[in-house]
Amino acid sequence: AQKITQTQPGMFVQEKEAVTLDCTYDTSDPSYGLFWYKQPSSGEMIFLIYQGSYDQQNATEGRYSLNFQKARKSANLVISASQLGDSAMYFCAMRVLQTGANNLFFGTGTRLTVIP
Amino acid sequence: DGGITQSPKYLFRKEGQNVTLSCEQNLNHDAMYWYRQDPGQGLRLIYYSQIVNDFQKGDIAEGYSVSREKKESFPLTVTSAQKNPTAFYLCASTAFETGDTGELFFGEGSRLTVL
């Protein structure tokens, strides 16, 4: 069975500082993909970053980077130089490629608040 | 611009009534999905469809029904059999092509409240 765990219900960070949002996953399949989405108060889900299980390097997208530690089954999101607009819910998700359905399994999310 | 349109954004329903949530995409994506989100919880898969005229149950399909008569459209009906339908509903789609990341593109959601 696939499972995504986000243990931080809420996080606070000072504006312009970096913050790490934790995500651990569990799957027995060797091929999988890991995603991070941002959900502002308006409700839409915004794709941030992707890491494939066979990718050798950690993914980066602008101020977002994914700290992928395969042996520990963790895929933490690092946001550098936090901005007030980063305040939102953040969800970690996993897709197991062998299922064929391409649906994502989501964690319970972390609410990030950026303090001016 | 290409995207996914969900309507209505807000919907109120009396107990015992069926309601249908609309989801339309112009991204030419093959696969479409419906997720339910409750406060403090992640998204849970209700139904998904990988091609026209075919759909599969997700983890929480009881009390819901869908159809996929057109590639662009994937409406969700919340039936009276759904015991606790008050939630935020998100529709998504993906290109589902080998080599892609397979990221899901989401609509802005529909918030259903049962009175």
Side-chain angles (χ1 to χ4, degrees), chain B residues 4 25-32 68 71 93-95 105:
Chain B
I4 300 177
Q25 55 101 356
N26 60 5
L27 299 168
N28 199 34
H29 286 170
D30 292 307
M32 298 187 72
R68 187 84 187 276
K71 187 176 184 178
S93 71
T94 188
F105 294 79

Side-chain angles (χ1 to χ4, degrees), chain B residues 1-108:
Chain B
D1 287 347
I4 300 177
T5 302
Q6 289 187 239
S7 63
K9 195 171 179 69
Y10 299 95
L11 186 61
F12 297 89
R13 185 194 100 174
K14 293 182 179 179
E15 284 192 25
Q17 288 182 334
N18 292 356
V19 293
T20 298
L21 308 180
S22 170
C23 178
E24 302 279 331
Q25 55 101 356
N26 60 5
L27 299 168
N28 199 34
H29 286 170
D30 292 307
M32 298 187 72
Y33 308 79
W34 274 105
Y35 286 90
R36 170 180 171 142
Q37 184 178 20
D38 294 285
Q41 298 191 31
L43 280 65
R44 292 182 291 168
L45 183 66
I46 304 172
Y47 267 98
Y48 65 96
S49 168
Q50 294 178 271
I51 57 172
V52 174
N53 292 324
D54 185 60
F55 48 83
Q56 305 295 329
K57 292 182 178 180
D59 299 321
I60 55 166
E62 185 175 352
Y64 299 98
S65 66
V66 294
S67 63
R68 187 84 187 276
E69 297 177 1
K70 299 187 300 182
K71 187 176 184 178
E72 304 80 24
S73 180
F74 192 41
L76 173 73
T77 297
V78 184
T79 75
S80 57
Q82 169 51 234
K83 298 304 179 188
N84 185 21
T86 295
F88 188 58
Y89 292 87
L90 283 158
C91 179
S93 71
T94 188
F96 200 59
E97 293 177 359
T98 302
D100 286 346
T101 64
E103 72 182 83
L104 295 184
F105 294 79
F106 284 87
E108 294 188 343

Side-chain angles (χ1 to χ4, degrees), chain A residues 68-90:
Chain A
F68 182 45
Q69 298 190 38
K70 196 169 184 177
R72 295 184 177 183
K73 293 189 174 180
S74 72
N76 299 340
L77 177 69
V78 180
I79 304 175
S80 62
S82 296
Q83 302 171 356
L84 295 179
D86 293 335
S87 293
M89 284 289 291
Y90 288 82

Side-chain angles (χ1 to χ4, degrees), chain A residues 1-22:
Chain A
Q2 284 64 241
K3 188 176 180 181
I4 291 281
T5 303
Q6 294 180 255
T7 58
Q8 305 157 314
M11 289 283 287
F12 293 87
V13 64
Q14 203 75 37
E15 192 178 7
K16 300 181 184 178
E17 297 292 315
V19 63
T20 297
L21 306 184
D22 294 341

Side-chain angles (χ1 to χ4, degrees), chain A residues 1-68:
Chain A
Q2 284 64 241
K3 188 176 180 181
I4 291 281
T5 303
Q6 294 180 255
T7 58
Q8 305 157 314
M11 289 283 287
F12 293 87
V13 64
Q14 203 75 37
E15 192 178 7
K16 300 181 184 178
E17 297 292 315
V19 63
T20 297
L21 306 184
D22 294 341
C23 173
T24 58
Y25 60 92
D26 189 21
T27 180
S28 57
D29 288 288
S31 297
Y32 52 89
L34 296 159
F35 301 77
W36 277 93
Y37 281 85
K38 172 183 178 181
Q39 187 180 42
S41 57
S42 54
E44 78 271 26
M45 298 284 283
I46 302 168
F47 167 73
L48 297 178
I49 196 166
Y50 168 83
Q51 179 86 41
S53 59
Y54 294 119
D55 293 342
Q56 295 296 316
Q57 293 187 332
N58 287 344
T60 59
E61 289 286 347
R63 294 186 299 110
Y64 304 107
S65 61
L66 200 152
N67 184 2
F68 182 45

